[in-house]
Amino acid sequence: NHSYNEFYKGNSVVQVTSTIGAGGTRNWFSFGYSADQLIVWRVKATTVGGKLKLDIQSELGGDGTITYWLLVTNTGSITTDYQLIRHHFIQ
């Protein structure tokens, strides 16, 4: 077993801070990443009892960069504040 601090050697950035209604979805995209970078996305509920799901698609562009398509779904029964966070790992 490894701790989070042992595994995580990159930086993180809050890309989006937003609110989503019960049963709602929100689409986001982020672009211009090198195809050899390791990017990990996560969604973090900031409302007690918030329940969210994150689906991610990636697309390689003609210029060799990656665009990430991010779909946040509120699977809970209450309006929920959240953060969409990007972790960028380095070697």
Side-chain angles (χ1 to χ4, degrees):
N1 291 334
H2 296 282
S3 73
Y4 179 77
N5 289 335
E6 289 174 318
F7 173 73
Y8 182 67
K9 302 287 186 200
N11 59 44
S12 64
V13 174
V14 175
Q15 292 284 120
V16 174
T17 298
S18 192
T19 301
I20 189 169
T25 60
R26 294 289 306 267
N27 290 294
W28 302 97
F29 71 95
S30 191
F31 61 92
Y33 298 96
S34 170
D36 63 352
Q37 294 175 329
L38 174 57
I39 307 292
V40 176
W41 297 92
R42 70 182 175 103
V43 64
K44 174 181 145 184
T46 56
T47 299
V48 173
K51 188 175 179 183
L52 305 170
K53 180 174 90 167
L54 176 62
D55 292 304
I56 304 166
Q57 294 182 358
S58 63
E59 177 183 7
L60 179 62
D63 63 356
T65 63
I66 299 288
T67 296
Y68 291 96
W69 302 91
L70 310 160
L71 176 65
V72 177
T73 303
N74 184 340
T75 59
S77 60
I78 62 172
T79 295
T80 302
D81 296 329
Y82 68 94
Q83 294 177 329
L84 189 56
I85 301 168
R86 174 182 54 85
H87 295 277
H88 182 170
F89 291 83
I90 57 176
Q91 294 180 347

